[in-house]
Amino acid sequence: GKQFMDEVASEIHFEPTPRWGLGLDPDVLETVRAACTETQKLRVVYESASKKENKDRVLGPHFLYFAKGSLYLVAEDDTDGKNKIFAVPRIKEAEMLDESYKGEALDPEEYFESAIGIFQASEPQHVVLSIEAPVSSYVRERQWHKSQRIVFKSKDAIQLHLDVGITPELVHWILGLGAGVGVERPDELADLVRE
């Protein structure tokens, strides 16, 4: 098995991606991981991305989630009782409390079911994208979301159907595909891409 893996490693190479672990305090990571495992509440100092201020929070941890080259904690915020996503590198301090978290467990697949990435949307919508060559071959070779369905319009043109939330990540992904992509539905998404 090791010989096979060595052969594969010399034959298959991967593009560099964002490296995770940068800015992670190992003690914070271990405390957060332990709180998830033991279902104990956490007191953290969290740096807000938008306001750039540190805020004390008490969290009911659900699970850790690795995406887009970083590690996230999905947890219930005691302030408002809502489940939120916290970037672990922005947790400056973490302390596991002697209080059990009694919230209903979340399933990661269900929680991110309508997401492309980590942003959450209230309800998934039926998205239809028209995609022309040369991007169409790139798109149809991959599974972007488990809800996807591809309809061939011609040899070089497809429609991609997705049931996903309308989020900044979805808009960014569409824009990243380039000029050969158009949003047919919904109008809200078309407007966001146009802007």
Side-chain angles (χ1 to χ4, degrees), residues 23 33-34 43 71 75 77 91 96 106-107 129 136 139 142 147-148 160-163 171 186 193:
R33 188 205 59 76
R43 176 175 287 116
L71 191 61
D77 190 340
I91 298 175
M96 189 164 51
L106 295 179
D107 178 282
L129 305 176
S136 58
V139 170
R142 291 160 176 78
S147 69
Q148 85 180 35
L160 179 64
H161 294 253
L162 303 163
D163 294 314
V171 172
V193 169

Side-chain angles (χ1 to χ4, degrees), residues 4 7 12 42 60 78 82 98 100 109 143 145 163 192:
F4 173 74
E7 288 173 15
I12 301 174
L42 276 169
D78 264 13
K82 293 182 179 176
D98 287 333
S100 293
E109 283 192 32
Q143 180 170 2
H145 191 265
D163 294 314
L192 289 169

Side-chain angles (χ1 to χ4, degrees), residues 148-166:
Q148 85 180 35
R149 185 172 57 88
I150 293 175
V151 176
F152 288 85
K153 299 311 248 176
S154 70
K155 180 181 171 207
D156 294 326
I158 62 171
Q159 272 186 333
L160 179 64
H161 294 253
L162 303 163
D163 294 314
V164 294
I166 308 301

Side-chain angles (χ1 to χ4, degrees), residues 93-117:
E93 297 174 24
E95 173 192 3
M96 189 164 51
L97 303 176
D98 287 333
E99 183 181 349
S100 293
Y101 174 58
K102 307 247 190 264
E104 188 175 327
L106 295 179
D107 178 282
E109 283 192 32
E110 286 180 21
Y111 189 73
F112 289 105
E113 183 174 48
S114 66
I116 288 204

Side-chain angles (χ1 to χ4, degrees), residues 50-91:
S50 58
K51 297 179 183 173
K52 295 292 183 202
E53 63 185 19
N54 291 338
K55 189 173 182 181
D56 289 332
R57 296 175 181 265
V58 175
L59 306 176
H62 288 288
F63 56 85
L64 288 165
Y65 190 76
F66 182 75
K68 310 278 185 185
S70 193
L71 191 61
Y72 298 90
L73 170 66
V74 176
E76 181 181 320
D77 190 340
D78 264 13
T79 308
D80 57 13
K82 293 182 179 176
N83 291 314
K84 299 177 182 174
I85 301 166
F86 300 90
V88 175
R90 288 200 297 257
I91 298 175

